[in-house]
Amino acid sequence: MDAGQLAVQDERVDLGRLCGEVIRLMQRQSEMAGLTMALTLTPPSPAIRADHRRLRQILLNLAGNAVKFTPAGECISILAEVSPGAVAVRVTDTGTGIAPDRIPDLGRPFVQINDNVLTRPHQGSGMGLSISRVLAELHGGMVLIQSQPEAGTEVTLSLPLLEQITLS
């Protein structure tokens, strides 16, 4: 990725189907954590031109982080919506949240909020958000993070809507 050798495939992606796939892939992990996941699609469910595999990787990273940092009994929501010229997928949790001054650190490779590997409660390399940001940028989009400590986090994958395809 750092060498700029990563390419994206241009294909038709049904955003609703992709989000459903991510929830199915995360089902066991979320159930083991005592969580539920909910999907909301604003009609009509959009189909866009993008790289299905790369978008799935982004959303799996975002959903995986939400599962990691959300207490048992809570719900993680995924919302996909289209606005003029853009499509957004929001992954929202009610987890531990992030202090606003630490949010800019999250896009850097190998950075975790609790950098002490001996005391942090969650596994991971700190690469998920960094990879997600790069993949979003390859699509001409971005990953935006809003959070408050003890109130949860909302991470939005925002992509330009270059072409919306009508689903039949």
Side-chain angles (χ1 to χ4, degrees), residues 20-137:
E21 182 181 335
V22 167
I23 287 176
R24 282 189 303 283
L25 289 169
M26 294 298 301
Q27 184 172 358
R28 180 167 164 73
Q29 188 177 348
S30 62
E31 285 175 354
M32 287 178 60
L35 303 168
T36 57
M37 295 186 90
L39 172 61
T40 303
L41 298 170
T42 57
S45 175
I48 60 173
R49 302 293 311 172
D51 186 322
H52 180 271
R53 189 176 65 150
R54 305 291 187 207
L55 292 185
R56 182 179 61 214
Q57 184 175 2
I58 294 169
L59 295 177
L60 284 170
N61 287 344
L62 301 183
N65 281 345
V67 167
K68 238 190 267 189
F69 296 104
T70 302
E74 299 287 330
C75 181
I76 296 164
S77 67
I78 298 177
L79 167 68
E81 60 187 351
V82 177
S83 60
V87 62
V89 180
R90 299 180 205 292
V91 178
T92 306
D93 67 58
T94 54
T96 56
I98 305 160
D101 63 324
R102 294 302 313 263
I103 290 174
D105 296 334
L106 291 176
R108 295 194 349 246
F110 304 110
V111 171
Q112 294 186 346
I113 295 303
N114 182 351
D115 288 326
N116 186 335
V117 72
L118 299 175
T119 62
R120 70 177 179 233
H122 305 288
Q123 298 296 315
S125 65
M127 289 298 294
L129 280 173
S130 177
I131 290 169
S132 296
R133 284 184 192 265
V134 169
L135 294 176
E137 289 169 2

Side-chain angles (χ1 to χ4, degrees), residues 136-155:
E137 289 169 2
L138 284 173
H139 283 86
M142 64 182 79
V143 173
L144 306 167
I145 303 169
Q146 295 180 320
S147 187
Q148 289 296 321
E150 307 307 319
T153 302
E154 178 180 270
V155 183

Side-chain angles (χ1 to χ4, degrees), residues 11-18 41-42 44-50 55 82 87 160-168:
E11 58 192 313
R12 180 180 183 267
V13 177
D14 178 334
L15 205 51
R17 185 171 290 156
L18 173 62
L41 298 170
T42 57
S45 175
I48 60 173
R49 302 293 311 172
L55 292 185
V82 177
V87 62
L161 185 58
L162 302 176
E163 177 184 2
Q164 182 173 355
I165 304 165
T166 304
L167 295 174
S168 51

